[in-house]
Amino acid sequence: MARAFNFSPGPSTLPEQVLRQARDTMLEYGGAGASIVEISHRGPEFLEIAERAEADLRALLSIPDDYAVLFVAGGATTQQALLPLNFAAPGQRADYVLTGHWGQVATRQARPYVDLNIAASSEADGYRGIPPFEEWRLSEDAAYVHVTASETIHGVEFRPSAPGGHPFPDTGDVPLFADFSSSIASEPIDVSRYRAIYAGAQKNLGPVGIGVVIVRRDLLARAGQPRADIFDYRLQLEAGSMLNTPPTWNWYVAGLTFRWMLDEGGVEAFARRNEAKARALYAAIDGSGGFYRNGVDPAVRSRMNVPFQLHDPALDGRFLEEAGAAGLIGLKGHRVLGGMRASIYNAMPLEGVQALAAFMADFQRRHG
Ligand SMILES: *Cc1c(COP(=O)(O)O)cnc(C)c1O
């Protein structure tokens, strides 16, 4: 069976070239006499993979030297609990800005450890926009401000570095923490604007099972809260992200994906491609005369995750079935919003989006 265009939100489509490389080394890796999943994470083969993955990620995202990079298991959600444990004193205030579902999940992970303040939220309008900065109620004594750069379910995105985009406000001396799970490496960003950036890999960086935390080194001097070694970022850094056995296969495939992105021209090239893909898909929705709808404020629509509804939800099942038959999969919307969602991360080619737009127009002709 041929590979379909996969619009799944995460795990999500990977570059075919990366999958082929992974397959070719599955049985035996570069003279090791065994698969990468079978050999020690402390042996020379894997240490080289880990080193190269970090160097490539640093090059890809232009990460300054005064930032540490951690490779972590447990996904983005686990980091949402570890950030307060590592960087907030017990019961210290922490500010959260909610622009969708994942910001809300982050508050649930942090609430046991901090005096949680919702500094701003667009929940009342169904998370269709970003609250104006004048309305943000930031605390001067907060341990940090937490934002979600791209809301994967609600399709709302800050464009921190884009010309004419929606940047984050200056939080002064209070460190800005950002969940970049679904938009990391999708365009250039200025890492030095953040004290911590984190992302699960399964959206834009590779396979599920691993994630990255990029943290300014001086932040690691904070005492944080009583915690087990395994939850301690500083100890993880000292151990090369290998306090215990890391997910070596996932790390390896993520590294292949970093290299692929560099070979394709880096984040500047992906910014152009992602812009073109998003433009094509929103044009298909907005040009449908209301047959398809996306209710997000156009100024902050996500380039990565495009939720849309059919004018008649009774057609949803048929849409998904016919899309699947046309080689377009993973379009079912998240249960909190229903309808459809197309995730169009770096590994989704423009041709995939064009095929989806053509299918949508054809479906409308037949069912409109
Ligand atoms: C997917 C996602 C998460 C959760 O990631 P896990 O790896 O499943 O923990 C958190 N935040 C955002 C923005 C996401 O897209």
Side-chain angles (χ1 to χ4, degrees):
M1 189 188 163
R3 280 173 60 77
F5 288 119
N6 176 11
F7 296 90
S8 189
S12 56
T13 194
L14 282 166
E16 191 166 320
Q17 187 183 324
V18 165
L19 294 174
R20 284 183 192 285
Q21 275 175 295
R23 180 188 64 185
D24 291 348
T25 52
M26 187 62 182
L27 279 179
E28 202 274 326
Y29 179 83
S35 169
I36 208 73
V37 294
E38 299 172 301
I39 59 176
S40 169
H41 54 293
R42 307 207 187 272
E45 293 88 0
F46 188 75
L47 289 180
E48 195 197 318
I49 285 171
E51 226 167 81
R52 180 158 180 188
E54 179 175 338
D56 284 348
L57 188 68
R58 284 183 176 279
L60 186 68
L61 302 179
S62 304
I63 300 174
D65 288 342
D66 58 338
Y67 281 72
V69 176
L70 293 164
F71 286 82
V72 295
T77 312
T78 302
Q79 312 322 312
Q80 293 172 343
L82 295 184
L83 287 165
L85 271 178
N86 279 269
F87 302 128
Q92 191 180 359
R93 182 151 267 239
D95 285 349
Y96 281 73
V97 174
L98 306 191
T99 49
H101 172 89
W102 288 112
Q104 235 174 7
V105 171
T107 65
R108 287 208 294 278
Q109 310 318 310
R111 208 178 279 283
Y113 309 119
V114 294
D115 170 19
L116 197 136
N117 174 46
I118 308 290
S121 171
S122 55
E123 184 175 11
D125 85 342
Y127 293 127
R128 283 178 298 138
I130 292 178
F133 297 149
E134 309 82 74
E135 291 172 15
W136 292 28
R137 297 279 173 268
L138 298 173
S139 322
E140 263 167 39
D141 54 347
Y144 57 83
V145 181
H146 181 281
V147 293
T148 311
S150 173
E151 279 287 353
T152 314
I153 293 171
H154 287 88
V156 172
E157 188 187 7
F158 287 88
R159 300 291 306 284
S161 306
H166 204 287
F168 296 112
D170 186 0
T171 57
D173 290 337
V174 179
L176 183 61
F177 290 2
D179 179 355
F180 264 95
S181 290
S182 59
S183 59
I184 193 165
S186 67
E187 66 179 349
I189 61 162
D190 179 0
V191 171
S192 71
R193 289 273 289 108
Y194 310 88
R195 222 69 74 83
I197 286 173
Y198 66 97
Q202 71 269 27
K203 278 75 182 234
N204 242 341
L205 292 182
V208 67
I210 193 149
V212 298
V213 178
I214 301 162
V215 52
R216 212 171 81 183
R217 292 183 198 275
D218 57 357
L219 196 68
L220 293 162
R222 285 197 181 178
Q225 310 196 16
R227 58 198 182 276
D229 285 5
I230 198 70
F231 298 148
D232 192 309
Y233 282 146
R234 196 172 10 179
L235 295 179
Q236 278 291 7
L237 181 66
E238 284 165 12
S241 301
M242 298 186 198
L243 266 183
N244 68 331
T245 320
T248 49
W249 174 253
N250 316 57
W251 197 331
Y252 168 60
V253 178
L256 294 178
T257 313
F258 304 162
R259 173 103 320 249
W260 173 79
M261 289 193 264
L262 286 169
D263 290 345
E264 291 287 305
V267 288
E268 288 82 7
F270 283 104
R272 287 191 295 275
R273 284 188 208 179
N274 291 330
E275 200 68 52
K277 280 151 44 183
R279 207 176 314 117
L281 187 46
Y282 285 114
I285 294 167
D286 295 340
S288 71
F291 189 87
Y292 303 107
R293 275 190 321 252
N294 166 285
V296 176
D297 171 1
V300 298
R301 280 172 161 181
S302 166
R303 298 159 306 127
M304 295 287 104
N305 307 96
V306 182
F308 62 94
Q309 321 282 329
L310 275 64
H311 75 103
D312 178 5
L315 287 171
D316 285 2
R318 178 163 272 183
F319 182 92
L320 289 167
E321 196 178 304
E322 292 187 15
L328 307 165
I329 63 172
L331 287 162
K332 190 170 166 44
H334 191 275
R335 60 188 181 280
V336 308
L337 279 189
M340 308 298 149
R341 169 175 47 171
S343 295
I344 49 177
Y345 302 120
N346 284 0
M348 171 60 65
L350 179 61
E351 301 81 76
V353 174
Q354 287 167 337
L356 174 58
F359 167 79
M360 287 166 66
D362 182 54
F363 185 85
Q364 182 177 358
R365 260 192 303 279
R366 287 179 292 106
H367 300 283

